[in-house]
Amino acid sequence: MLKDILNNKIYDYLKYSNLNEKLNIGEDYNVKFLAQGEYNINFALEGSNKKYVFRVNTGSQLGLENQIKYEYEALKNLEASSVTPKVYYLDDSKKDLDYGILVMEFLEGKPLRYDKDLNSAAKIFAKIHSIDANGNGLKNFIVEDNIFSARINESQKLLRDFFQSSKIPLYLKNFFDIFINWAEKNRYEEKYFLENKWHVINNTEVNSGNFIIGKEKSYLIDWEKPVISDPCQDLTQFLAPTTTLWKTDRILKEEEKEEFFKVYISNLKDNSIRERVNLYTPFLYLRALSWCAYAYLEYQKEDKEIKNMDTYNKIKEYLDLDFMKDLLKNYF
């Protein structure tokens, strides 16, 4: 497997690049596999009482030619927040390992728990959203102004084969057809975000597993696909049932959300976030449920090797008509 091949090659890479000296880990160090996603493989690099994350990039969710540099520049700009990993090294040449390389801070802690750590998350978001998103370091970043249109366009692409498939029941096709038409009719409301522009750095993957809650400090990690856009993108996704139910059985209560907003606002001094989140919520649902529809169809392919039955079962739960109607009962 690639992770095993890379594990051996990283030892050689560290020596002939002198990176072990630059990172001050000495000659006696260890490389250990940490975790693997669809586009990145992470290793723990440890020596001389220092520990780092050695990140190898194998592709791009954003379709970028230089994905690892995009992430590096985001992390560099985010360091001012003190709630994201510090980044120490970039090699985007792809000369020695054939992949982009990033070395960043190894952070100790546990994943976020919704019943205990909402205030910590609110403070993390406030610090990140306090960073000037108009600086030169972010001039090459993807900017999303028309956030309703962006979600509609994504969903139409995700649903293209879904609408044509004979494997999908008619009632599901009808539901998504009604949902898309509703979104199109209400697309005009994105003018609020154009007339009241507030741009911040959004992570776009703010599930509980991407937070590290430490004893003294807490962090938001995994900055693979950040965009410059309205803060409602991350906050809506973080609070939404489609996120909280993915790995847990939690749906946040209204009083929990209100406490979260109070902490966020007290640290950022902007009272418009509730309205922004409320406006954006159904369009987040459109994207989340459309992805589930797309993924469900992918799992029906005969040559598809289902690797995660938990994911497949969760997708089917989300596509339950009663579940989707309940999510959208306040909108249509």
Side-chain angles (χ1 to χ4, degrees), residues 131-150:
I131 292 176
D132 180 13
N134 298 310
N136 287 333
L138 294 165
K139 63 183 179 181
N140 296 321
F141 271 62
I142 294 170
V143 177
E144 285 191 350
D145 286 314
N146 301 88
I147 57 177
F148 290 6
S149 297

Side-chain angles (χ1 to χ4, degrees), residues 142-265:
I142 294 170
V143 177
E144 285 191 350
D145 286 314
N146 301 88
I147 57 177
F148 290 6
S149 297
R151 301 294 82 78
I152 293 170
N153 293 340
E154 285 176 344
S155 298
Q156 288 174 332
K157 291 178 182 178
L158 288 167
L159 292 168
R160 188 175 295 137
D161 292 338
F162 181 87
F163 282 127
Q164 301 298 321
S165 175
S166 60
K167 297 180 180 179
I168 303 301
L170 184 60
Y171 73 88
L172 278 180
K173 293 181 181 180
N174 287 339
F175 174 86
F176 278 100
D177 185 55
I178 292 169
F179 196 177
I180 286 282
N181 286 330
W182 177 90
E184 289 280 14
K185 289 177 182 177
N186 289 273
R187 182 200 297 256
Y188 72 93
E189 290 193 0
E190 72 184 357
K191 68 180 181 179
Y192 171 88
F193 299 96
L194 299 173
E195 294 171 355
N196 303 276
K197 187 174 290 187
W198 179 9
H199 274 181
V200 303
I201 307 172
N202 284 267
N203 176 279
T204 73
E205 294 185 307
V206 287
N207 59 72
S208 58
N210 282 349
F211 287 83
I212 292 181
I213 307 299
K215 293 181 179 179
E216 297 181 1
K217 288 194 68 176
S218 298
Y219 306 87
L220 178 57
I221 63 169
D222 200 351
W223 287 88
E224 181 179 339
K225 53 192 220 80
V227 300
I228 307 299
S229 188
D230 196 274
C232 72
Q233 278 217 46
D234 270 358
L235 267 60
T236 306
Q237 182 174 344
F238 177 74
L239 298 170
T242 46
T243 301
T244 63
L245 286 172
W246 191 256
K247 294 293 185 183
T248 72
D249 59 355
R250 285 296 301 272
I251 294 179
L252 297 177
K253 299 175 182 176
E254 289 304 314
E255 53 265 34
E256 291 178 307
K257 294 180 183 178
E258 182 57 29
E259 177 63 21
F260 173 89
F261 285 133
K262 286 180 179 178
V263 174
Y264 178 83
I265 291 168

Side-chain angles (χ1 to χ4, degrees), residues 121-139:
K123 292 175 183 177
I124 287 171
F125 281 121
K127 288 183 177 180
I128 290 169
H129 294 169
S130 297
I131 292 176
D132 180 13
N134 298 310
N136 287 333
L138 294 165
K139 63 183 179 181

Side-chain angles (χ1 to χ4, degrees), residues 103-117:
V103 177
M104 57 187 165
E105 184 178 14
F106 186 97
L107 299 169
E108 301 283 356
K110 299 179 180 179
L112 175 142
R113 285 182 51 176
Y114 293 108
D115 60 336
K116 295 178 61 177
D117 303 317

